[in-house]
Short mmCIF file of all heavy atoms in Angstrom, two decimals:
data_model
loop_
_atom_site.label_atom_id
_atom_site.label_comp_id
_atom_site.label_asym_id
_atom_site.label_seq_id
_atom_site.Cartn_x
_atom_site.Cartn_y
_atom_site.Cartn_z
N PRO A 117 97.24 92.67 109.81
CA PRO A 117 96.41 93.71 109.19
C PRO A 117 95.36 94.31 110.11
O PRO A 117 94.94 95.45 109.91
CB PRO A 117 95.76 92.97 108.01
CG PRO A 117 96.64 91.81 107.73
CD PRO A 117 97.20 91.40 109.06
N VAL A 118 94.92 93.55 111.12
CA VAL A 118 93.83 94.03 111.97
C VAL A 118 94.30 94.41 113.39
O VAL A 118 93.47 94.74 114.24
CB VAL A 118 92.70 92.98 112.07
CG1 VAL A 118 92.06 92.77 110.71
CG2 VAL A 118 93.21 91.66 112.63
N ALA A 119 95.60 94.38 113.64
CA ALA A 119 96.13 94.70 114.97
C ALA A 119 96.71 96.11 114.95
O ALA A 119 97.85 96.33 114.51
CB ALA A 119 97.18 93.69 115.40
N LEU A 120 95.94 97.09 115.40
CA LEU A 120 96.38 98.49 115.38
C LEU A 120 97.66 98.68 116.20
O LEU A 120 98.54 99.46 115.82
CB LEU A 120 95.26 99.39 115.92
CG LEU A 120 95.53 100.90 115.88
CD1 LEU A 120 95.76 101.37 114.44
CD2 LEU A 120 94.36 101.66 116.52
N SER A 121 97.77 97.95 117.30
CA SER A 121 98.97 98.07 118.14
C SER A 121 100.22 97.67 117.39
O SER A 121 101.30 98.26 117.58
CB SER A 121 98.82 97.19 119.39
OG SER A 121 98.56 95.84 119.01
N ASN A 122 100.11 96.68 116.52
CA ASN A 122 101.23 96.23 115.71
C ASN A 122 101.72 97.35 114.79
O ASN A 122 102.91 97.61 114.65
CB ASN A 122 100.80 95.02 114.88
CG ASN A 122 101.95 94.11 114.50
OD1 ASN A 122 101.79 93.21 113.68
ND2 ASN A 122 103.12 94.29 115.07
N TRP A 123 100.76 98.04 114.15
CA TRP A 123 101.10 99.16 113.26
C TRP A 123 101.76 100.30 114.05
O TRP A 123 102.81 100.81 113.64
CB TRP A 123 99.83 99.70 112.60
CG TRP A 123 99.18 98.78 111.62
CD1 TRP A 123 98.38 97.71 111.90
CD2 TRP A 123 99.27 98.84 110.19
NE1 TRP A 123 97.96 97.11 110.74
CE2 TRP A 123 98.48 97.77 109.68
CE3 TRP A 123 99.92 99.69 109.31
CZ2 TRP A 123 98.35 97.55 108.32
CZ3 TRP A 123 99.77 99.47 107.94
CH2 TRP A 123 99.00 98.41 107.47
N ILE A 124 101.15 100.67 115.16
CA ILE A 124 101.61 101.84 115.90
C ILE A 124 103.00 101.62 116.49
O ILE A 124 103.89 102.48 116.38
CB ILE A 124 100.61 102.20 117.03
CG1 ILE A 124 99.29 102.69 116.42
CG2 ILE A 124 101.19 103.26 117.95
CD1 ILE A 124 98.19 102.90 117.44
N VAL A 125 103.21 100.47 117.12
CA VAL A 125 104.46 100.25 117.85
C VAL A 125 105.59 99.77 116.94
O VAL A 125 106.63 100.40 116.84
CB VAL A 125 104.25 99.25 119.01
CG1 VAL A 125 105.59 98.99 119.73
CG2 VAL A 125 103.21 99.79 119.99
N GLU A 126 105.38 98.65 116.25
CA GLU A 126 106.49 98.04 115.53
C GLU A 126 106.74 98.64 114.15
O GLU A 126 107.85 98.60 113.64
CB GLU A 126 106.28 96.53 115.44
CG GLU A 126 106.33 95.86 116.81
CD GLU A 126 106.23 94.35 116.74
OE1 GLU A 126 106.91 93.75 115.87
OE2 GLU A 126 105.47 93.76 117.53
N ASP A 127 105.69 99.19 113.52
CA ASP A 127 105.86 99.78 112.19
C ASP A 127 106.23 101.26 112.24
O ASP A 127 107.10 101.71 111.49
CB ASP A 127 104.58 99.61 111.37
CG ASP A 127 104.40 98.19 110.86
OD1 ASP A 127 105.41 97.51 110.64
OD2 ASP A 127 103.24 97.77 110.68
N PHE A 128 105.57 102.03 113.11
CA PHE A 128 105.68 103.48 113.04
C PHE A 128 106.42 104.14 114.20
O PHE A 128 106.59 105.36 114.21
CB PHE A 128 104.28 104.11 112.90
CG PHE A 128 103.62 103.79 111.59
CD1 PHE A 128 102.49 102.99 111.54
CD2 PHE A 128 104.14 104.28 110.40
CE1 PHE A 128 101.88 102.70 110.33
CE2 PHE A 128 103.55 103.99 109.18
CZ PHE A 128 102.42 103.20 109.14
N PHE A 129 106.89 103.37 115.17
CA PHE A 129 107.65 103.96 116.27
C PHE A 129 109.12 104.06 115.81
O PHE A 129 109.96 103.26 116.20
CB PHE A 129 107.53 103.09 117.52
CG PHE A 129 107.72 103.87 118.81
CD1 PHE A 129 106.95 103.58 119.93
CD2 PHE A 129 108.66 104.88 118.92
CE1 PHE A 129 107.11 104.27 121.11
CE2 PHE A 129 108.84 105.59 120.09
CZ PHE A 129 108.05 105.28 121.19
N VAL A 130 109.39 105.05 114.98
CA VAL A 130 110.71 105.13 114.32
C VAL A 130 111.51 106.36 114.69
O VAL A 130 112.68 106.49 114.29
CB VAL A 130 110.55 105.07 112.78
CG1 VAL A 130 109.98 103.73 112.36
CG2 VAL A 130 109.69 106.22 112.27
#
Side-chain angles (χ1 to χ4, degrees):
V118 295
L120 184 61
S121 56
N122 206 191
W123 292 79
I124 293 173
V125 178
E126 295 185 44
D127 285 331
F128 293 113
F129 206 142
V130 295

